[in-house]
Amino acid sequence: MGRFAPSPSGRMHLGNAFSALMTWLGARSRGGSVVMRVEDLDPRCQVPGRAEAIMDDLRWLGLDWDGDPVFQSRRGDAYDEALARLAGLGLTYLCFCTRAELHAASAPHASDGTYVYAGTCRGLSAEEVARRSAVRAPAVRLAVPDADDPAGTVEVDDLVAGRHREVLARECGDFLVRRSDGVTAYQLAVVVDDAAMGVTQVVRGRDLLGSAARQRYLQRLLGLPEVEYAHVPLLMAADGRRLSKRDGDLDLGAIRARGVRPETVVGRLAHAAGLTDSDAPTTPTELLQGFSWDPLRGRGDIPCDGITT
Ligand code: GLU
């Protein structure tokens, strides 16, 4: 079973559309189902109409799903329970670091600009925790094994990216499972929800490959099924940047407003990704025939010029 997991922080862009197409093909080509989960954990995502616009864009592309959408904003109890289990294992601790302290004390991660947490709050005494809790709401972190402990090395066999190996202590350090504003961290929510929804295959953009190791680690700690991953290439704007929600002219709202047909978008996306020999208009259903992950393996970011013009 696959899943769409849009964050309604804005309209979908072509990269989101491509990941969604691959999610659908990955599941439907095996006769599997697809579920819809709206990742609206962040209060800034809880804007009326945003999730509906994304679902409408997916339908417009010819991508369907099974059952009713699940909204992360309504799943707090399940996340609390998982957090309590991690705490019960003695693996969580409160973190009082401010953003500025995090930047000052942490080693920046070379490849993606995130940071490796230095473990600043790991050894705080109970008195210190009580003293700081009185003035500042803490976040919650998961303590990962030291770099020389094999338990903290996670390997993920990705259908597209191949074998990905990470030493958690070096790549991210103790990571957040709950933010200081009380919002469940993305890593934990995803793992809890994928298991609860029966998801077996996770397809998404390559920018989330690093998260797969953290999510696999959480699946193991919580005794949840280990999902299969496929991290697909990202779409690249004409100037070589990766597409983001700021590229408004390449979001589905703008593309649809220009009168571009969904078959044109699907045909050109599939061709740019190497799935088809021609960029003729097509539908997701037509692409099911002979679908394989092979063309995506070893492929760099996909240029998106010409896809919607
Ligand atoms: N909600 C995330 C996004 O829209 C995807 C998370 C995931 O697929 O695990 O980028």
Side-chain angles (χ1 to χ4, degrees):
M1 182 192 286
R3 45 58 153 197
F4 296 128
S7 299
S9 53
R11 202 75 182 236
M12 287 214 300
H13 60 64
L14 275 179
N16 304 134
F18 177 64
S19 295
L21 173 64
M22 298 311 295
T23 297
W24 189 91
L25 290 172
R28 299 291 195 216
S29 64
R30 302 203 283 201
S33 41
V34 185
V35 287
M36 167 63 75
R37 177 171 75 237
V38 178
E39 302 213 320
D40 58 350
L41 272 179
D42 194 316
R44 284 169 297 187
C45 283
Q46 293 162 18
V47 178
R50 284 250 185 96
E52 286 68 25
I54 290 175
M55 291 192 254
D56 187 59
D57 285 341
L58 288 167
R59 282 190 214 98
W60 179 81
L61 284 165
L63 303 174
D64 64 346
W65 57 92
D66 306 288
D68 293 330
V70 167
F71 290 82
Q72 287 194 321
S73 55
R74 300 178 199 159
R75 302 250 318 130
D77 290 351
Y79 307 143
D80 287 349
E81 201 181 298
L83 196 58
R85 285 182 51 207
L86 294 173
L89 295 171
L91 293 176
T92 59
Y93 63 87
L94 301 180
C95 171
F96 298 90
C97 291
T98 60
R99 205 172 280 262
E101 283 163 347
L102 287 175
H103 281 285
S106 314
H109 191 286
S111 57
D112 63 3
T114 56
Y115 60 83
V116 182
Y117 184 61
T120 317
C121 291
R122 207 203 256 219
L124 295 181
S125 66
E127 295 77 48
E128 191 63 14
V129 167
R131 195 183 65 76
R132 295 194 192 193
S133 296
V135 282
R136 194 177 154 76
V140 183
R141 287 185 185 274
L142 183 80
V144 302
D146 292 341
D148 54 4
D149 179 346
T153 299
V154 181
E155 266 181 8
V156 175
D157 279 315
D158 190 278
L159 287 170
V160 176
R163 176 155 298 183
H164 176 75
R165 188 168 179 273
E166 243 178 53
V167 179
L168 294 171
R170 289 209 193 101
E171 296 293 323
C172 57
D174 299 342
F175 59 90
L176 286 180
V177 281
R178 177 162 289 174
R179 303 186 337 196
S180 61
D181 59 3
V183 174
T184 305
Y186 156 72
Q187 309 291 355
L188 181 62
V190 161
V191 161
V192 169
D193 287 341
D194 283 340
M197 296 170 83
V199 170
T200 54
Q201 185 176 78
V202 168
V203 181
R204 58 192 177 194
R206 190 147 58 196
D207 51 337
L208 288 171
L209 182 59
S211 290
R214 273 167 267 177
Q215 291 171 17
R216 176 69 91 229
Y217 186 65
L218 283 171
Q219 284 155 10
R220 288 182 185 157
L221 286 179
L222 292 166
L224 301 174
E226 297 188 9
V227 303
E228 176 176 57
Y229 290 107
H231 288 87
V232 301
L234 302 175
L235 273 279
M236 196 170 65
D239 59 4
R241 276 180 312 105
R242 285 175 174 175
L243 278 199
S244 76
K245 298 221 162 154
R246 281 169 313 198
D247 293 290
D249 54 333
L250 288 171
D251 77 25
L252 279 251
I255 290 169
R256 290 174 66 173
R258 290 203 293 274
V260 180
R261 298 299 311 146
E263 296 82 7
T264 304
V265 176
V266 171
R268 291 185 184 168
L269 267 179
H271 181 61
L275 296 176
T276 49
D277 295 332
S278 112
D279 69 354
T282 188
T283 62
T285 305
E286 281 167 355
L287 292 171
L288 283 174
Q289 186 73 32
F291 169 74
S292 155
W293 296 102
D294 288 345
L296 296 186
R297 297 203 175 104
R299 219 176 173 87
D301 291 350
I302 299 170
C304 67
D305 28 317
I307 289 182
T308 65
T309 49

